[in-house]
Amino acid sequence: MNLPPVSEMMRECGLEPKKQFGQNFLFDLNLTGRIARSVPNIETTPVVEVGPGPAGLTRAILMAGAQRVVAIEKDKTTSPILSQIIDVSDGRLNVIYDDALRVDFSELGFDEYAICANLPYNVGTELLIGWLQKIAAGEKIQSLTLMFQREVALRITARPGDEHYGRLAVLTSLIADSKILFDVPNTAFVPRPKVQSAVVQIIPNTDKISKIKDLSKIEQITAKLFGQRRKMIRGIMPNVNWEQFGLTGTERAENLSPEMFATLAENLL
């Protein structure tokens, strides 16, 4: 793409990262290219990007061969840069200026799509839970390749008994397969955040999805039990006959498998 470097375009447009939007821009071409190339079937699957900012990752997604890209951006001051990317994208890029939390992705016109994003730190978890709910409800999201704070990435991919095992791991593992692809140092961002980041890939699993009746109920039971994670489950819910689930009640939330949370949600809520 015959364009100046992202940092130069930002200077020309007077664009600065905004704290209220949780913006930390990624300029490293090697990293943005690596993220984009990690998206499965990128050349044949429409890609939705959230929070493109000055379009460093957007460029990489287009250069990786994506034929349809929809970028959702809340900050309209990025439009001078994004407009230039649209102009050289051969009609492959469309930008929607709106809050991704309010956008109904099912109305974008895609039967199936992938999500790829360097997510704003302040809404990343909320966005992920919303997407998991959509997947559980039958929306055809083929893959999610997402940048999070590394601690959040560990919480998404954790297993029972792990230090980071909690609500995010339970909800994710019940409908998808997830893994950390690679870590990203804080030195790669402008401004430099205090924490490290990681790229997580989540691939919905149709066999798992078919077994889930109501993800919102599972979310409720995980919030209840992990909300007091150091207490035994019988101390949190004393009126439950835990033996009917093969439990003693002395377990803690971190000891329960995702499948057990699904069983509890189905029978107790």
Side-chain angles (χ1 to χ4, degrees):
M1 303 182 77
N2 189 22
L3 290 167
V6 176
S7 57
E8 183 178 323
M9 294 178 74
M10 284 185 62
R11 285 194 298 271
E12 289 177 354
C13 297
L15 180 63
E16 295 287 342
K18 296 178 180 60
K19 188 174 182 180
Q20 69 264 35
F21 292 138
Q23 291 174 333
N24 295 89
F25 297 147
L26 187 62
F27 293 161
D28 190 311
L29 296 178
N30 291 323
L31 281 171
T32 55
R34 189 177 180 188
I35 295 169
R37 291 190 299 272
S38 298
V39 178
N41 307 311
I42 192 169
E43 294 183 353
T44 56
T45 305
V47 178
V48 179
E49 182 189 7
V50 172
L57 180 56
T58 315
R59 288 189 187 192
I61 293 170
L62 290 166
M63 292 175 68
Q67 298 303 305
R68 294 288 305 282
V69 181
V70 174
I72 301 172
E73 177 57 67
K74 187 176 182 179
D75 181 9
K76 292 184 179 180
T77 65
T78 61
S79 61
I81 293 178
L82 290 171
S83 294
Q84 294 182 62
I85 309 299
I86 291 172
D87 290 342
V88 298
S89 70
D90 297 323
R92 294 184 291 153
L93 174 63
N94 180 38
V95 178
I96 297 173
Y97 292 98
D98 203 344
D99 186 342
L101 291 169
R102 298 190 314 214
V103 174
D104 185 348
F105 285 27
S106 66
E107 295 183 354
L108 296 177
F110 303 135
D111 294 330
E112 189 171 21
Y113 59 92
I115 299 174
C116 181
N118 170 21
L119 291 175
Y121 282 170
N122 55 354
V123 294
T125 299
E126 187 176 358
L127 283 167
L128 175 60
I129 290 175
W131 291 329
L132 293 175
Q133 291 172 338
K134 289 180 180 295
I135 293 168
E139 189 151 337
K140 299 298 183 181
I141 300 176
Q142 188 181 97
S143 65
L144 301 97
T145 305
L146 307 170
M147 178 97 72
F148 290 98
Q149 295 180 45
R150 191 169 194 280
E151 182 178 348
V152 176
L154 291 171
R155 285 163 49 199
I156 293 167
T157 57
R159 300 293 180 262
D162 291 350
E163 175 187 357
H164 294 89
Y165 182 65
R167 178 180 60 141
L168 284 180
V170 171
L171 296 177
T172 302
S173 64
L174 282 173
I175 63 169
D177 303 312
S178 66
K179 61 182 177 181
I180 294 176
L181 296 182
F182 52 89
D183 293 335
V184 179
N186 61 352
T187 53
F189 296 92
V190 176
R192 182 186 301 185
K194 295 180 180 179
V195 297
Q196 305 298 317
S197 297
V199 176
V200 176
Q201 190 158 78
I202 300 169
I203 307 293
N205 185 314
T206 53
D207 290 337
K208 291 181 177 181
I209 294 168
S210 66
K211 298 174 184 176
I212 300 301
K213 295 182 178 180
D214 191 337
L215 195 67
S216 63
K217 284 188 176 182
I218 299 171
E219 186 178 358
Q220 290 176 43
I221 198 80
T222 55
K224 189 175 187 66
L225 295 180
F226 280 112
Q228 302 178 70
R229 64 183 301 142
R230 301 317 306 163
K231 292 184 67 172
M232 292 184 288
I233 55 176
R234 69 184 183 189
I236 303 171
M237 301 177 70
N239 298 320
V240 173
N241 175 14
W242 294 106
E243 292 182 359
Q244 65 178 311
F245 304 112
L247 302 171
T248 64
T250 59
E251 297 86 356
R252 292 177 173 81
E254 63 193 32
N255 306 128
L256 304 181
S257 69
E259 293 74 20
M260 178 56 69
F261 277 104
T263 297
L264 296 177
E266 184 178 344
N267 289 275
L268 299 180
L269 297 181

